[in-house]
PDB file of all heavy atoms in Angstrom:
ATOM      1  N   MET A  44     -30.652   2.092  32.484  1.00 95.00           N
ATOM      2  CA  MET A  44     -31.069   2.299  33.858  1.00 95.00           C
ATOM      3  C   MET A  44     -30.291   1.464  34.831  1.00 95.00           C
ATOM      4  O   MET A  44     -29.863   1.953  35.939  1.00 95.00           O
ATOM      5  CB  MET A  44     -32.539   2.073  34.026  1.00 95.00           C
ATOM      6  CG  MET A  44     -33.460   2.980  33.210  1.00 95.00           C
ATOM      7  SD  MET A  44     -35.171   2.592  33.310  1.00 95.00           S
ATOM      8  CE  MET A  44     -35.379   2.671  34.988  1.00 95.00           C
ATOM      9  N   ARG A 367      76.817   7.578 -34.036  1.00 81.00           N
ATOM     10  CA  ARG A 367      75.623   8.321 -33.461  1.00 81.00           C
ATOM     11  C   ARG A 367      74.783   7.329 -32.567  1.00 81.00           C
ATOM     12  O   ARG A 367      74.291   7.705 -31.406  1.00 81.00           O
ATOM     13  CB  ARG A 367      74.935   8.970 -34.430  1.00 81.00           C
ATOM     14  CG  ARG A 367      73.611   9.702 -33.992  1.00 81.00           C
ATOM     15  CD  ARG A 367      72.858  10.154 -35.223  1.00 81.00           C
ATOM     16  NE  ARG A 367      71.543  10.758 -34.779  1.00 81.00           N
ATOM     17  CZ  ARG A 367      70.584  11.211 -35.663  1.00 81.00           C
ATOM     18  NH1 ARG A 367      70.932  11.076 -36.997  1.00 81.00           N
ATOM     19  NH2 ARG A 367      69.493  11.743 -35.179  1.00 81.00           N
ATOM     20  N   VAL A 497     -51.989  -7.963   4.602  1.00 91.00           N
ATOM     21  CA  VAL A 497     -53.352  -8.508   5.003  1.00 91.00           C
ATOM     22  C   VAL A 497     -53.358  -8.810   6.434  1.00 91.00           C
ATOM     23  O   VAL A 497     -52.468  -9.488   6.985  1.00 91.00           O
ATOM     24  CB  VAL A 497     -53.626  -9.765   4.144  1.00 91.00           C
ATOM     25  CG1 VAL A 497     -55.018 -10.314   4.431  1.00 91.00           C
ATOM     26  CG2 VAL A 497     -53.356  -9.452   2.715  1.00 91.00           C
ATOM     27  N   THR A 617     -68.963 -20.165 -10.393  1.00 94.00           N
ATOM     28  CA  THR A 617     -69.403 -19.824  -9.166  1.00 94.00           C
ATOM     29  C   THR A 617     -70.672 -18.851  -9.174  1.00 94.00           C
ATOM     30  O   THR A 617     -71.158 -18.557 -10.275  1.00 94.00           O
ATOM     31  CB  THR A 617     -68.302 -18.976  -8.338  1.00 94.00           C
ATOM     32  OG1 THR A 617     -68.012 -17.749  -9.003  1.00 94.00           O
ATOM     33  CG2 THR A 617     -67.108 -19.756  -8.369  1.00 94.00           C
ATOM     34  N   GLU A 651     -56.143 -17.463 -21.851  1.00 94.00           N
ATOM     35  CA  GLU A 651     -55.900 -16.071 -22.086  1.00 94.00           C
ATOM     36  C   GLU A 651     -56.911 -15.465 -23.144  1.00 94.00           C
ATOM     37  O   GLU A 651     -57.190 -14.294 -23.144  1.00 94.00           O
ATOM     38  CB  GLU A 651     -54.446 -16.036 -22.741  1.00 94.00           C
ATOM     39  CG  GLU A 651     -53.291 -15.979 -21.794  1.00 94.00           C
ATOM     40  CD  GLU A 651     -52.008 -15.711 -22.511  1.00 94.00           C
ATOM     41  OE1 GLU A 651     -51.640 -16.541 -23.315  1.00 94.00           O
ATOM     42  OE2 GLU A 651     -51.326 -14.613 -22.156  1.00 94.00           O
ATOM     43  N   SER A 751     -45.517 -42.330  -2.771  1.00 33.00           N
ATOM     44  CA  SER A 751     -44.253 -42.492  -1.974  1.00 33.00           C
ATOM     45  C   SER A 751     -43.147 -41.670  -2.749  1.00 33.00           C
ATOM     46  O   SER A 751     -42.192 -41.198  -2.159  1.00 33.00           O
ATOM     47  CB  SER A 751     -43.906 -43.897  -1.844  1.00 33.00           C
ATOM     48  OG  SER A 751     -43.825 -44.489  -3.087  1.00 33.00           O
TER      49      SER A 751
END
Side-chain angles (χ1 to χ4, degrees):
M44 294 176 60
R367 177 185 173 187
V497 182
T617 65
E651 277 188 299
S751 60

